[in-house]
Amino acid sequence: MKLDAVSDYFTGLQQRIVAALEALDGGKFRSDAWTRPEGGGGVSRVIEEGTLFERAGVNFSRVQGASLPASATASRPQLAGRTYDAMGVSLVLHPRSPYCPTVHMNVRCFAAGGLWWFGGGMDLTPYYGFEEDARHFHATCKQALAPFGTERHARYKRWCDEYFYLKHRAEPRGIGGIFFDDLNEPDFDTCFSLVRSVGDHFLTAYAPIVEKRRAVPYGEREREFQAYRRGRYVEFNLVYDRGTLFGLQSGGRTEAILMSLPPRVAWRYDWKPAPGSPEAKLTTDFLQPRDWV
Amino acid sequence: MKLDAVSDYFTGLQQRIVAALEALDGGKFRSDAWTRPEGGGGVSRVIEEGTLFERAGVNFSRVQGASLPASATASRPQLAGRTYDAMGVSLVLHPRSPYCPTVHMNVRCFAAGGLWWFGGGMDLTPYYGFEEDARHFHATCKQALAPFGTERHARYKRWCDEYFYLKHRAEPRGIGGIFFDDLNEPDFDTCFSLVRSVGDHFLTAYAPIVEKRRAVPYGEREREFQAYRRGRYVEFNLVYDRGTLFGLQSGGRTEAILMSLPPRVAWRYDWKPAPGSPEAKLTTDFLQPRDWV
């Protein structure tokens, strides 16, 4: 295990991504460093009311603890309660334009009880879908995993479709991407290399999409639909997301963890878009498990 | 056990409360009846964009199921997985004016494995606090419980303060009220009588407060603060609330369950009100466990 090398890669990745997002937005991300009494800390990079991003956060954290929370060990219950070292970069970007999708990316590494494992992924949540963007995002995810075996992308794409799913809505959170957890084979170096490839492909996957869509004009109707759909993002993150629950349970920094929540959200009772409308097409044409590549 | 009598009281209570709220608002609540394949159903009464209420729901449901979800049996783990009959009225009212508090009330009855128990309560969540309103609300809660022993109000008030608490914010959801669960002593009739008293006192506790505050003028500043504070309501309901989780886990009607979520919500990073401002007073003077009566 070379945990410090992983930690160094993560802090460098955070800096590179923030620099690129600042260039896209034109504004500056604030930087909040924090430590926690139990050990470790992090750096939250945040922008609100930017030109491109209404609210966006890119967080790095590395925390040590005396007792691993259950949310971190779904498939390793024997490790719950052990001392641990957990590190990762997690980002959620909420653009202001309803034509620019929300995106999430995470890379992480856990060590506990003499074991280690990696996890991560990225996934896209459009409000108005574009087939071309969906293909580009998924193709880039596939590229990131290509050096690590032919089966891997299909497996991680399916895992993403399964994970980012709102059971109570019978609805996926977005159009997916890739997701993986408990990665510890064949060896540490290969796993670390895979995680680096995912992290390094994030900007390639996302930046061209916002560059293409940011100038599309929109009005109140599109903003309302975006606010309504963002409610689903809140529901997923607070009810199901293991990363969010791990953060809240492990005494992480609440404001940094909840940076994933959108800036303005609306809930409306039993609302449905008009059949055939662009808003209805999001569900019929995009929020369906589909082979995009 | 006279479960049908309880069920009849609950449907009558829903009708009386909706009639009173319609008189306050001037608008009409829509009525959606639903059934579920596993057994049972309910009636959702909902208003949105009313004069007084921006979004409000008063739900009745009675559902039978083959396997009691864990969220319903925190203190009776041996009943998880048993057949059950669960009924209740649950309401959350989100007024448009930031000077009118959000309120929640619930009365419920469970039967499973030959056992039965009642639960319920009501609690108030102001955006701008008024001491007089807090005293009135708590005094009415105390009145409701007065016939059932001198210790009961203090115990149910403390239970409410403990239950409606956001651990990750180290902050109560509102100014409390009363909360109880697992009530099955001394006998069914007394418990049912207590639950009726709680249900019957709801309008007395809440209506005078909105009548007094609804005409207070407000602007963008107060609406923004309300939207921000409503985020805490969302966080509590989706992360902690057993009723919400029971509903979602038991295959309840999602739109009815999530009627508790506010209509318009904002999240802002690490925002704090100016010291001494009316917004800061909410935390310093009201969101503190306090003996209001």
Side-chain angles (χ1 to χ4, degrees), chain A residues 102-121:
Chain A
T102 287
V103 72
H104 162 248
M105 192 277 288
N106 171 245
V107 280
R108 59 189 180 273
C109 179
F110 278 84
L115 301 177
W116 55 266
W117 65 99
F118 288 91

Short mmCIF file of all heavy atoms in Angstrom, two decimals, chain A residues 102-121:
data_model
loop_
_atom_site.label_atom_id
_atom_site.label_comp_id
_atom_site.label_asym_id
_atom_site.label_seq_id
_atom_site.Cartn_x
_atom_site.Cartn_y
_atom_site.Cartn_z
N THR A 102 -25.91 18.32 -14.89
CA THR A 102 -25.20 18.14 -13.61
C THR A 102 -24.30 16.91 -13.74
O THR A 102 -24.66 15.95 -14.43
CB THR A 102 -26.23 17.96 -12.48
OG1 THR A 102 -26.83 19.24 -12.22
CG2 THR A 102 -25.61 17.43 -11.20
N VAL A 103 -23.15 16.98 -13.12
CA VAL A 103 -22.24 15.83 -13.19
C VAL A 103 -21.67 15.53 -11.81
O VAL A 103 -21.54 16.42 -10.97
CB VAL A 103 -21.09 16.11 -14.20
CG1 VAL A 103 -20.10 17.13 -13.65
CG2 VAL A 103 -20.38 14.81 -14.58
N HIS A 104 -21.36 14.25 -11.62
CA HIS A 104 -20.76 13.78 -10.37
C HIS A 104 -19.56 12.91 -10.71
O HIS A 104 -19.62 12.11 -11.65
CB HIS A 104 -21.81 12.97 -9.59
CG HIS A 104 -21.22 12.08 -8.53
ND1 HIS A 104 -21.23 10.70 -8.61
CD2 HIS A 104 -20.60 12.38 -7.37
CE1 HIS A 104 -20.66 10.19 -7.54
NE2 HIS A 104 -20.27 11.18 -6.78
N MET A 105 -18.48 13.09 -9.98
CA MET A 105 -17.32 12.21 -10.14
C MET A 105 -16.73 11.95 -8.77
O MET A 105 -16.75 12.83 -7.90
CB MET A 105 -16.27 12.87 -11.04
CG MET A 105 -15.15 11.94 -11.50
SD MET A 105 -13.81 11.72 -10.31
CE MET A 105 -13.00 13.32 -10.43
N ASN A 106 -16.25 10.76 -8.56
CA ASN A 106 -15.65 10.41 -7.28
C ASN A 106 -14.57 9.36 -7.51
O ASN A 106 -14.75 8.44 -8.29
CB ASN A 106 -16.74 9.85 -6.33
CG ASN A 106 -16.17 9.26 -5.05
OD1 ASN A 106 -16.28 8.06 -4.81
ND2 ASN A 106 -15.55 10.09 -4.24
N VAL A 107 -13.45 9.55 -6.84
CA VAL A 107 -12.42 8.50 -6.76
C VAL A 107 -12.02 8.40 -5.30
O VAL A 107 -11.92 9.42 -4.61
CB VAL A 107 -11.19 8.80 -7.65
CG1 VAL A 107 -11.47 8.45 -9.10
CG2 VAL A 107 -10.75 10.26 -7.53
N ARG A 108 -11.86 7.17 -4.83
CA ARG A 108 -11.63 7.03 -3.39
C ARG A 108 -10.80 5.79 -3.09
O ARG A 108 -10.73 4.85 -3.90
CB ARG A 108 -12.97 6.94 -2.65
CG ARG A 108 -13.85 5.79 -3.09
CD ARG A 108 -15.27 5.86 -2.48
NE ARG A 108 -16.07 4.72 -2.93
CZ ARG A 108 -16.78 4.70 -4.07
NH1 ARG A 108 -16.81 5.76 -4.87
NH2 ARG A 108 -17.46 3.62 -4.41
N CYS A 109 -10.19 5.81 -1.93
CA CYS A 109 -9.38 4.67 -1.49
C CYS A 109 -9.59 4.50 0.01
O CYS A 109 -9.56 5.48 0.77
CB CYS A 109 -7.90 4.93 -1.79
SG CYS A 109 -6.81 3.60 -1.24
N PHE A 110 -9.87 3.29 0.43
CA PHE A 110 -10.05 2.96 1.85
C PHE A 110 -8.99 1.96 2.28
O PHE A 110 -8.64 1.05 1.52
CB PHE A 110 -11.41 2.28 2.07
CG PHE A 110 -12.56 3.23 2.18
CD1 PHE A 110 -13.19 3.70 1.04
CD2 PHE A 110 -13.04 3.62 3.42
CE1 PHE A 110 -14.28 4.57 1.13
CE2 PHE A 110 -14.12 4.49 3.53
CZ PHE A 110 -14.73 4.96 2.38
N ALA A 111 -8.53 2.10 3.50
CA ALA A 111 -7.69 1.07 4.10
C ALA A 111 -8.21 0.83 5.51
O ALA A 111 -8.48 1.79 6.24
CB ALA A 111 -6.23 1.52 4.15
N ALA A 112 -8.38 -0.46 5.85
CA ALA A 112 -8.89 -0.80 7.19
C ALA A 112 -8.56 -2.25 7.47
O ALA A 112 -8.63 -3.10 6.57
CB ALA A 112 -10.41 -0.60 7.27
N GLY A 113 -8.17 -2.52 8.71
CA GLY A 113 -7.90 -3.89 9.13
C GLY A 113 -6.91 -4.62 8.23
O GLY A 113 -7.07 -5.81 7.97
N GLY A 114 -5.88 -3.91 7.74
CA GLY A 114 -4.87 -4.54 6.88
C GLY A 114 -5.31 -4.71 5.44
O GLY A 114 -4.54 -5.15 4.60
N LEU A 115 -6.55 -4.37 5.13
CA LEU A 115 -7.04 -4.47 3.75
C LEU A 115 -7.12 -3.08 3.12
O LEU A 115 -7.11 -2.08 3.83
CB LEU A 115 -8.43 -5.11 3.73
CG LEU A 115 -8.55 -6.51 4.34
CD1 LEU A 115 -10.01 -6.97 4.31
CD2 LEU A 115 -7.68 -7.50 3.58
N TRP A 116 -7.22 -3.05 1.81
CA TRP A 116 -7.40 -1.79 1.11
C TRP A 116 -8.34 -2.03 -0.05
O TRP A 116 -8.46 -3.17 -0.54
CB TRP A 116 -6.06 -1.23 0.60
CG TRP A 116 -5.33 -2.24 -0.26
CD1 TRP A 116 -4.37 -3.13 0.16
CD2 TRP A 116 -5.53 -2.49 -1.65
NE1 TRP A 116 -3.98 -3.93 -0.89
CE2 TRP A 116 -4.67 -3.55 -2.02
CE3 TRP A 116 -6.35 -1.93 -2.63
CZ2 TRP A 116 -4.61 -4.05 -3.32
CZ3 TRP A 116 -6.29 -2.43 -3.92
CH2 TRP A 116 -5.43 -3.49 -4.25
N TRP A 117 -9.03 -1.00 -0.49
CA TRP A 117 -9.82 -1.10 -1.71
C TRP A 117 -10.10 0.28 -2.27
O TRP A 117 -10.09 1.28 -1.56
CB TRP A 117 -11.11 -1.89 -1.49
CG TRP A 117 -12.11 -1.28 -0.56
CD1 TRP A 117 -13.22 -0.56 -0.88
CD2 TRP A 117 -12.12 -1.37 0.88
NE1 TRP A 117 -13.91 -0.19 0.24
CE2 TRP A 117 -13.26 -0.66 1.34
CE3 TRP A 117 -11.26 -1.96 1.82
CZ2 TRP A 117 -13.56 -0.53 2.70
CZ3 TRP A 117 -11.58 -1.82 3.18
CH2 TRP A 117 -12.71 -1.13 3.60
N PHE A 118 -10.30 0.29 -3.60
CA PHE A 118 -10.60 1.53 -4.30
C PHE A 118 -12.07 1.52 -4.75
O PHE A 118 -12.69 0.47 -4.87
CB PHE A 118 -9.73 1.66 -5.55
CG PHE A 118 -8.28 1.98 -5.28
CD1 PHE A 118 -7.34 0.97 -5.12
CD2 PHE A 118 -7.85 3.30 -5.20
CE1 PHE A 118 -6.00 1.26 -4.89
CE2 PHE A 118 -6.51 3.60 -4.98
CZ PHE A 118 -5.58 2.57 -4.82
N GLY A 119 -12.55 2.72 -5.02
CA GLY A 119 -13.87 2.85 -5.62
C GLY A 119 -13.93 4.15 -6.40
O GLY A 119 -13.02 4.97 -6.32
N GLY A 120 -15.01 4.32 -7.14
CA GLY A 120 -15.13 5.58 -7.87
C GLY A 120 -16.13 5.50 -9.01
O GLY A 120 -16.94 4.58 -9.09
N GLY A 121 -16.04 6.50 -9.88
CA GLY A 121 -16.90 6.54 -11.04
C GLY A 121 -17.31 7.96 -11.38
O GLY A 121 -16.90 8.91 -10.71
#
